[in-house]
Amino acid sequence: MRSTSKSRRLIFASAFLGFLAMAIQPTAMAQTYPTKPIKMIVPFPAGGTTDIVARIVAQKMSESMGQAVTVDNRGGAGGAIGADLMAKAAPDGYTIMMHNLSFPLASVAQTLANRSPFNVDTDFAGVSIAVYVPFVWTASPSVPAKDLKELATLLRSNPSLQYNYGSTGPGSTMHVLGEAFKKEGKVNITHIPFKGAAPLKQELLAGRLQVGGDQLSSSLAEIKAGTLKALATTASKRIPGLPDVPTVKELGFPNLELEGWNGVFAPAKTPKDIIERLNKEVIAAVRHPDVIKRLNDLGAEGVGSTPAEQDAMLRRQMDQFRAIIREMRLE
């Protein structure tokens, strides 16, 4: 009888200790995290705005977290290849992703075309909006139009012009905006996809591509030097660093208005404590005085938001462009 009672007490004690271990595990994990390097996936090639911002943020996070935060460029498919790798990574805080405003647009386009390798509604957890960076339409200096409205007039009056516009892939920001511009401007211009903003910019600089666009940081120097022409910004107001560049709304294209951002995401089942630690580190990075100056020089504004605000931005822009993308039947 005593032996049975003792066995029961041992079983109860063992179960209680197991429950206690499970209860304190997330807290203990957060206290010890990170114990090894963190990989930040950038779903575009090196040299574009997302890559530039990611490297600035990763460097500062490495300094404060005591572990290396390394950038892993995985470009292609409008950012879907890198996003899919991140979505399928272990939800332990050691694989995160820096994405941009192409994420909501490309995700909608790929889902509507039944070719999305992930579920944008269930596979990702927002960490923080890192920066705001305006999106700017650009053109080769050889294009005889000073803004987007003049470009539309030029293409309508010269139907024989064989103009192309470049994007960072199917369903990316420039692809969606380019197709919307074709419809609203009643023009003919052909889409040419690239793996990222850097190769797209090189074609613009070489004069082999007429029109393109990206977030400002990757082309600000060339715009100021006159080797690229800024046709319009999709922001709601003019950019302080480029006060002469009109907004799309000013030029008669209000449906092309879209705020630019770069933000950090983690796999969906990453523990809340880890998300909170990453959020704290991203905010500290983008609000550091040295980083603020570097971002301002690139035409970017450090933000640092809550995870919920990052999730809300993604969903809001998906809703904003879902009907347009469905109507265009983007592939």
Side-chain angles (χ1 to χ4, degrees):
M1 187 77 175
R2 288 180 181 177
S3 177
T4 302
S5 179
K6 182 177 180 181
S7 296
R8 287 176 178 173
R9 286 199 300 273
L10 287 172
I11 292 171
F12 175 78
S14 177
F16 176 75
L17 289 173
F19 172 79
L20 186 62
M22 290 178 64
I24 66 175
Q25 185 177 8
T27 301
M29 183 184 296
Q31 289 174 345
T32 58
Y33 170 84
T35 60
K36 62 181 181 180
I38 298 168
K39 178 170 64 178
M40 181 183 287
I41 292 175
V42 171
F44 304 103
T49 295
T50 305
D51 176 70
I52 294 169
V53 171
R55 291 180 188 278
I56 293 173
V57 173
Q59 178 185 353
K60 193 56 66 176
M61 288 177 67
S62 298
E63 295 171 5
S64 64
M65 298 184 82
Q67 290 287 344
V69 180
T70 61
V71 172
D72 183 10
N73 296 93
R74 297 297 186 100
I81 292 174
D84 186 45
L85 285 171
M86 207 279 301
K88 292 176 171 57
D92 55 10
Y94 291 101
T95 302
I96 57 178
M97 175 178 68
M98 176 76 77
H99 215 314
N100 65 19
L101 69 166
S102 276
F103 193 22
L105 307 188
S107 296
V108 169
Q110 290 155 1
T111 299
L112 291 176
N114 293 316
R115 59 178 178 79
S116 179
F118 51 76
N119 187 329
V120 70
D121 293 316
T122 60
D123 291 345
F124 305 93
V127 172
S128 178
I129 300 170
V131 299
Y132 287 138
V133 191
F135 188 93
V136 178
W137 283 71
T138 53
S140 166
S142 63
V143 174
K146 75 174 187 294
D147 58 40
L148 201 60
K149 185 175 182 179
E150 284 195 2
L151 176 64
T153 301
L154 174 69
L155 293 173
R156 283 196 302 268
S157 61
N158 296 274
S160 62
L161 284 177
Q162 301 295 310
Y163 272 21
N164 299 319
Y165 78 89
S167 81
T168 55
S172 64
T173 304
M174 190 60 208
H175 186 200
V176 173
L177 294 179
E179 295 304 300
F181 171 66
K182 285 170 64 174
K183 179 182 177 182
E184 295 206 3
K186 298 179 174 58
V187 300
N188 183 33
I189 185 169
T190 303
H191 174 229
I192 305 293
F194 292 86
K195 287 188 175 181
L200 186 161
K201 183 175 72 173
Q202 290 305 312
E203 292 300 293
L204 283 172
L205 292 170
R208 292 186 291 266
L209 182 70
Q210 289 74 42
V211 180
D214 187 33
Q215 289 176 277
L216 180 60
S217 297
S218 63
S219 56
L220 179 59
E222 289 80 8
I223 291 171
K224 288 189 172 181
T227 53
L228 279 183
K229 185 183 296 185
L231 299 178
T233 172
T234 67
S236 58
K237 57 185 179 182
R238 292 199 181 200
I239 303 167
L242 296 173
D244 295 329
V245 179
T247 67
V248 287
K249 188 173 183 178
E250 288 179 77
L251 296 172
F253 301 103
N255 291 332
L256 304 188
E257 188 172 285
L258 179 66
E259 296 296 339
W261 55 270
N262 288 90
V264 178
F265 294 85
K269 294 182 180 180
T270 303
K272 182 180 178 181
D273 288 346
I274 300 297
I275 294 287
E276 289 175 350
R277 174 68 189 278
L278 287 166
N279 174 260
K280 176 183 175 182
E281 295 292 342
V282 173
I283 291 174
V286 299
R287 294 183 184 177
H288 191 281
D290 293 344
V291 172
I292 290 172
K293 184 180 184 307
R294 292 177 69 185
L295 292 174
N296 287 344
D297 290 343
L298 293 166
E301 175 191 355
V303 182
S305 75
T306 66
E309 287 169 333
Q310 173 65 98
D311 286 334
M313 174 69 83
L314 182 69
R315 302 286 181 293
R316 185 165 61 251
Q317 292 189 335
M318 288 172 64
D319 292 342
Q320 179 185 351
F321 281 90
R322 182 174 282 107
I324 296 173
I325 294 171
R326 180 182 289 112
E327 182 182 349
M328 293 175 183
R329 298 183 180 180
L330 298 180
E331 297 297 333

